[in-house]
Amino acid sequence: MNAKGNAPKTCIVTGATGAIGSAICKGIAKKGGEYRLIAVCRNAAKAGKLENSLRAKYPEAEIKTELVDLSSKKEVFSFASRLKEPVSVLINNAATTPIQRLETPEGIELQFATNVLGYYWMIEALKDHLSSAKGRVVNVASFWAGDMDIDDLEFKRRPYDNNTAYRQSKQANRMLTVFHAEKLHKSGVTVNACHPGEVNSKLANNLGFGGHESPEKGAETPLWLATTEAGSSNTGKYFEYLKMVKCRFASDKNAIQKLASICSSI
């Protein structure tokens, strides 16, 4: 129980050990007993370091780490099956930007698997947990979005370029935000997307960018959507720097449905 006598709300953050992810985790942990933080990570050593640092700085926070490879559907659904409590907040943040085209063991191009399917699978796997809490989803997308070829999402015909693949994945995040917002509306779950800012990170460096904003600044909008009325009173929307921005990808319903159908078939 927290100071108000209520059970803490479960908040899941993926990509928790990255620059923005760790800042998001700090923002949640800073709220003490209000939330139970589940930090989803891929690297055990980094996960342990994050958990220890958060426990040392925020002793009142309830923190748990889970090792999950977001590019694996099996691992995502296995993680969801281990959860027995309602989920109030899911922050999809994990992303990768490999310089060369790589595939998962299942033969899926790695950026598409992690950045797009990872978000899609997490929402699908946790939809009952989210519904029972009338929870919210925050998809960390980007203003750096576009270049989608819906008939070549995995760069099997096009030459692979990690920047193009990343922009496509962020467009997909924004499109699938609209899809899931409509799909989960009747169950009381809200789904919104946001641009976190230009943060200096390994991901940005792989794309050739340095970034001029701090991780804390990058975490500001995702945390705002995760913990304030902005994320519960809106759904299917896109935000930049605490402001709603019209998403140019949200109106193409046919493309959104086609993308969702492709994701559901994998």
Side-chain angles (χ1 to χ4, degrees):
M1 294 292 177
N2 56 33
K4 296 180 180 180
N6 301 317
K9 294 179 284 188
T10 294
C11 173
I12 298 172
V13 180
T14 73
T17 60
I20 296 173
S22 60
I24 292 172
C25 288
K26 289 176 186 176
I28 296 295
K30 195 174 184 178
K31 295 182 176 292
E34 187 175 349
Y35 292 94
R36 174 177 182 255
L37 171 65
I38 301 179
V40 175
C41 319
R42 190 175 57 178
N43 183 288
K46 290 181 180 179
K49 184 177 180 180
L50 173 69
E51 184 171 353
N52 290 337
S53 67
L54 291 176
R55 288 187 185 282
K57 194 166 185 179
Y58 308 106
E60 293 183 0
E62 188 176 345
I63 301 161
K64 179 183 180 182
T65 57
E66 286 272 359
L67 296 180
V68 184
D69 182 347
L70 275 296
S71 71
S72 167
K73 184 177 183 179
K74 181 179 179 180
E75 288 199 26
V76 169
F77 278 81
S78 176
F79 161 67
S81 71
R82 297 194 297 271
L83 286 179
K84 305 304 178 186
E85 73 266 33
V87 173
S88 295
V89 183
L90 166 62
I91 304 178
N92 277 320
N93 169 71
T96 187
T97 53
I99 295 173
Q100 295 180 322
R101 186 185 185 279
L102 301 174
E103 291 187 351
T104 68
E106 294 74 30
I108 306 170
E109 190 275 312
L110 187 59
Q111 270 211 71
F112 182 66
T114 305
N115 302 6
V116 181
L117 294 175
Y119 282 32
Y120 182 90
W121 289 332
M122 283 292 287
I123 297 172
E124 289 293 319
L126 294 170
K127 61 187 177 183
D128 289 340
H129 298 76
L130 288 160
S131 296
S132 63
K134 296 195 182 317
R136 64 183 80 181
V137 178
V138 179
N139 288 327
V140 178
S142 179
F143 80 97
W144 191 240
D147 297 329
M148 177 179 286
D149 183 341
I150 203 161
D151 295 314
D152 189 29
L153 294 169
E154 298 185 54
F155 291 84
K156 292 180 178 180
R157 296 197 306 268
R158 289 179 289 172
Y160 175 81
D161 174 80
N162 72 328
N163 199 308
T164 302
Y166 179 77
R167 281 172 51 78
Q168 174 179 263
S169 74
K170 296 296 104 178
Q171 177 181 342
N173 291 158
R174 287 162 59 172
M175 292 168 68
L176 291 171
T177 291
V178 176
F179 169 77
H180 274 122
E182 293 177 355
K183 180 178 180 178
L184 300 178
H185 177 69
K186 289 184 179 179
S187 61
V189 177
T190 63
V191 188
N192 292 291
C194 67
H195 168 62
E198 291 93 86
V199 175
N200 189 5
S201 64
K202 178 182 177 182
L203 184 147
N205 296 162
N206 277 354
L207 296 174
F209 302 118
H212 63 279
E213 295 174 337
S214 68
E216 289 70 29
K217 183 66 176 178
E220 188 175 35
T221 302
L223 282 168
W224 176 69
L225 287 172
T227 62
T228 73
E229 187 183 355
S232 61
S233 61
N234 294 289
T235 192
K237 305 301 182 183
Y238 170 67
F239 297 81
E240 297 177 1
Y241 299 105
L242 309 184
K243 293 182 180 180
M244 187 186 299
V245 176
K246 184 177 181 179
C247 178
R248 61 192 175 98
F249 310 116
S251 59
D252 193 340
K253 302 299 184 182
N254 290 334
I256 290 171
Q257 188 57 55
K258 183 174 181 179
L259 176 62
S261 295
I262 291 170
C263 293
S264 69
S265 69
I266 299 175

